[in-house]
Amino acid sequence: SDRQQNYAFWKNVARYGMTNIAYTDHETGWRDGGESFTMRTRAAPGKGGDEGQADYARKIRALGFRYGIYNNYTDFAPVNEHWDEDYVTRNPDGDWKTAWARCYNPKPSRAVELEAKLAPIIQEKFHLDTAYCDVHTAVQPWRYCDFDARVPGAGTFAATLYAYGEIMLHQKKTWNGPVYSEGNNHWYYCGLTDGNYGQDQAAGLAENPWLVDFDLRKLHPLCCNFGMGNPGMFYGRNESLGSTPEEREGRVDRFLAATLAFGHTGFLLLEGGITNTVRSYFNLQQIHKHYAEQTAVDIRYADEHGNLLDTSAAVASGAFRRSQVRTRYSNGLTVTVNGHPTEAWKTISVELPPNGWHVEGTPELKLTAFSATIDGHRADYVDSPAYVYADGRGRFTRFDKAACDGQVIAHKRKDGDWEVIPVAGCSEFGLSLDGRAATAVALDVDGEELGPAQTRFSRGLVYVPPVEKAFSYILTPVAAPTVSLECGRRSVVPGELVIFA
């Protein structure tokens, strides 16, 4: 069934350690075909009905996710069980206000009443801990003005704004978690919603300059908007991530770079397979964890000479159009993003390729992260309190605490061991265990032991030759060898004579 396939997918996501996720189900959970999909309390019969939905919600939460279900109080279908002609918003000429296909807009005053009635019923059935309240922040509140003279506040968008805000506040309290919405007109509602798709389609930010101040200074302190919306919202609804591997990789890089520049939390990329999903999660999760609840205290834009200008000077000179942004947050975290589409940015710390970025922590906040040029090619690295993530992007690359040719994730476990997960495409990897060697056990995709794995210790890193059918490896630190071979070279070419001491 669809639900079985969905659960298998999310179980695989969780197996990689991607569990700090708010998973908001969409409207298909409420309907099998074209029937009403809003203001319902009964789940789609073809997907198992209420029992199936409750079981699915329980299993998803057991994976470690927050789970919420779709709802909206802007679209009202005549086939809905609560239908009443007097519940429909009126235009100035008295006609009914249309909304989504086959729907009309419910009076905001009635929408508040319906949400207050239905949300507790839904929560009692499905035990949610987040919510997706669709559409409300996608439209200007004056688009859904009710001109019915019988309604208090008739003809004022303040009545709509107030009603929708009450819906969001009640929903987060009733469903015991954050409420998210569609975004694109979300600035009115930030703080009422806990977050929205971080989109601004009219701005065309995939191509146009990044002026981040309004977002960082006005919206960021109130809520956590995520991604740049999804890729379709960033690149255009009819666009994909590209037709060639190079184009797809470049578009993912720009999407993630923009997310960091605007101070948004991450959006889990599903398009393009598990490598994109892993890249979107592990590159950003520990970064946004440490800036999401902070305020931006200094925002600078680089000019063509690398001078860092304040916003007024950057706007006056046009330097902001380079989209090279450095933001320092109230906890000392500094995020530097090169949003220039073609030019590299050589900072004091690192060289950033187009859409590259670099994050510096503080002595108290031990976080190093970058997507930068290393030995002439782009590579990604995150050294955080929760995990080490590295990606050599097809070339074997040595980082401070890891080495790999593809993506590798290392989770530190509570017992002091490490679980290392090489992602598809990674054929060689090593991990630093603070100068110690290790023994290793291979695990399959279900976490079951396959048996011991070989380990090799070189230049302070523990390497594990691949074991057939292994998904991950548990490394248990042991003392390093007392005798080791040393060589002044880190790389050689075939046929070269190498001398060890």
Side-chain angles (χ1 to χ4, degrees):
S1 70
D2 289 344
R3 282 308 196 195
Q4 290 174 329
Q5 293 175 356
N6 291 344
Y7 176 72
F9 172 84
W10 289 110
K11 182 181 179 182
N12 185 56
V13 168
R15 181 66 180 88
Y16 284 89
M18 296 183 282
T19 55
N20 288 310
I21 290 173
Y23 169 17
T24 52
D25 226 339
H26 216 268
E27 64 192 47
T28 49
W30 290 119
R31 64 177 176 179
D32 296 315
E35 69 268 32
S36 176
F37 61 96
T38 66
M39 303 175 213
R40 292 179 59 137
T41 59
R42 294 191 296 273
K47 297 179 178 66
D50 287 353
E51 183 179 351
Q53 177 61 71
D55 181 64
Y56 185 70
R58 183 169 52 251
K59 291 195 296 185
I60 290 295
R61 289 198 312 274
L63 294 175
F65 303 150
R66 282 187 174 270
Y67 178 74
I69 202 167
Y70 177 94
N71 67 128
N72 95 48
Y73 292 87
T74 68
D75 301 317
F76 195 26
V79 295
N80 187 272
E81 65 179 298
H82 303 290
W83 177 259
D84 186 320
E85 292 182 6
D86 275 341
Y87 279 22
V88 180
T89 295
R90 298 298 182 95
N91 290 322
D93 62 1
D95 201 358
W96 292 354
K97 181 73 175 178
T98 56
W100 190 248
R102 303 184 300 279
C103 292
Y104 296 92
N105 178 241
K107 293 180 181 299
S109 55
R110 290 297 190 182
V112 173
E113 296 176 5
L114 285 167
E115 191 277 338
K117 175 183 177 181
L118 302 181
I121 297 172
I122 295 169
Q123 178 66 359
E124 185 177 358
K125 287 184 175 185
F126 306 128
H127 305 290
L128 310 172
D129 50 21
T130 188
Y132 181 59
C133 194
D134 196 22
V135 182
H136 293 77
T137 65
V139 296
Q140 301 98 332
W142 50 87
R143 275 187 57 194
Y144 283 160
C145 257
D146 188 5
F147 289 90
D148 190 333
R150 299 170 296 174
V151 174
T156 65
F157 81 77
T160 303
L161 183 71
Y162 184 83
Y164 288 178
E166 285 295 306
I167 287 172
M168 295 158 187
L169 292 174
H170 181 262
Q171 193 162 109
K172 68 177 74 179
K173 181 179 180 180
T174 306
W175 288 7
N176 191 35
V179 59
Y180 299 96
S181 189
E182 186 175 354
N184 212 34
N185 281 280
H186 49 282
W187 64 268
Y188 325 94
Y189 295 101
C190 285
L192 298 170
T193 55
D194 297 286
N196 308 271
Y197 281 96
Q199 59 168 319
D200 186 349
Q201 294 190 41
L205 295 172
E207 298 179 355
N208 290 329
W210 298 349
L211 189 61
V212 303
D213 292 69
F214 178 73
D215 201 328
L216 280 174
R217 295 192 185 279
K218 299 300 183 182
L219 308 188
H220 184 92
L222 298 174
C223 69
C224 296
N225 299 314
F226 54 88
M228 297 303 292
N230 60 35
M233 296 168 179
F234 187 56
Y235 288 109
R237 293 194 181 276
N238 296 323
E239 294 289 329
S240 68
L241 285 177
S243 56
T244 66
E246 295 77 15
E247 187 178 20
R248 287 192 290 270
E249 184 172 75
R251 287 196 165 199
V252 169
D253 285 335
R254 188 158 185 78
F255 182 84
L256 298 183
T259 301
L260 290 171
F262 283 89
H264 298 167
T265 54
F267 175 81
L268 193 71
L269 290 177
L270 304 182
E271 184 177 349
I274 194 64
T275 54
N276 282 351
T277 305
V278 166
R279 180 170 293 161
S280 68
Y281 183 92
F282 287 103
N283 265 331
L284 268 59
Q285 194 276 326
Q286 280 289 289
I287 301 172
H288 75 225
K289 173 183 174 64
H290 291 99
Y291 70 46
E293 296 182 304
Q294 305 297 317
T295 56
V297 298
D298 188 58
I299 301 172
R300 301 279 170 162
Y301 297 84
D303 65 14
E304 66 272 22
H305 305 296
N307 300 312
L308 293 172
L309 310 179
D310 64 27
T311 303
S312 295
V315 171
S317 65
F320 81 96
R321 297 185 181 278
R322 298 180 62 81
S323 301
Q324 295 175 325
V325 188
R326 173 171 291 177
T327 303
R328 181 166 54 85
Y329 289 89
S330 49
N331 62 350
L333 190 76
T334 301
V335 180
T336 305
V337 183
N338 180 19
H340 199 288
T342 59
E343 293 185 17
W345 181 10
K346 292 185 178 181
T347 71
I348 296 175
S349 304
V350 70
E351 178 178 338
L352 299 179
N355 303 312
W357 46 269
H358 179 233
V359 176
E360 295 177 88
T362 65
E364 296 76 25
L365 176 58
K366 299 185 183 302
L367 174 65
T368 299
F370 58 77
S371 182
T373 300
I374 306 295
D375 297 331
H377 73 287
R378 185 172 187 145
D380 304 340
Y381 180 67
V382 178
D383 177 10
S384 75
Y387 57 77
V388 172
Y389 167 75
D391 183 3
R393 299 214 182 192
R395 287 176 56 179
F396 187 78
T397 307
R398 172 77 185 237
F399 304 92
D400 284 348
K401 294 185 180 179
C404 56
D405 56 358
Q407 293 177 308
V408 65
I409 310 152
H411 297 283
K412 189 171 184 178
R413 307 201 324 177
K414 293 181 180 179
D415 60 6
D417 291 351
W418 288 79
E419 183 171 14
V420 183
I421 305 172
V423 184
C426 180
S427 60
E428 188 175 7
F429 66 89
L431 180 69
S432 169
L433 301 178
D434 297 324
R436 294 171 293 174
T439 59
V441 175
L443 305 182
D444 66 14
V445 71
D446 295 317
E448 300 296 329
E449 290 191 10
L450 295 173
Q454 296 181 4
T455 61
R456 298 169 183 167
F457 186 73
S458 174
R459 297 184 184 274
L461 300 185
V462 177
Y463 292 83
V464 183
V467 173
E468 187 177 1
K469 297 183 179 180
F471 179 89
S472 65
Y473 304 88
I474 300 297
L475 303 187
T476 301
V478 298
T482 56
V483 178
S484 63
L485 297 175
E486 299 290 339
C487 177
R489 297 288 301 278
R490 285 196 175 187
S491 60
V492 295
V493 297
E496 182 179 358
L497 178 63
V498 179
I499 299 176
F500 291 89

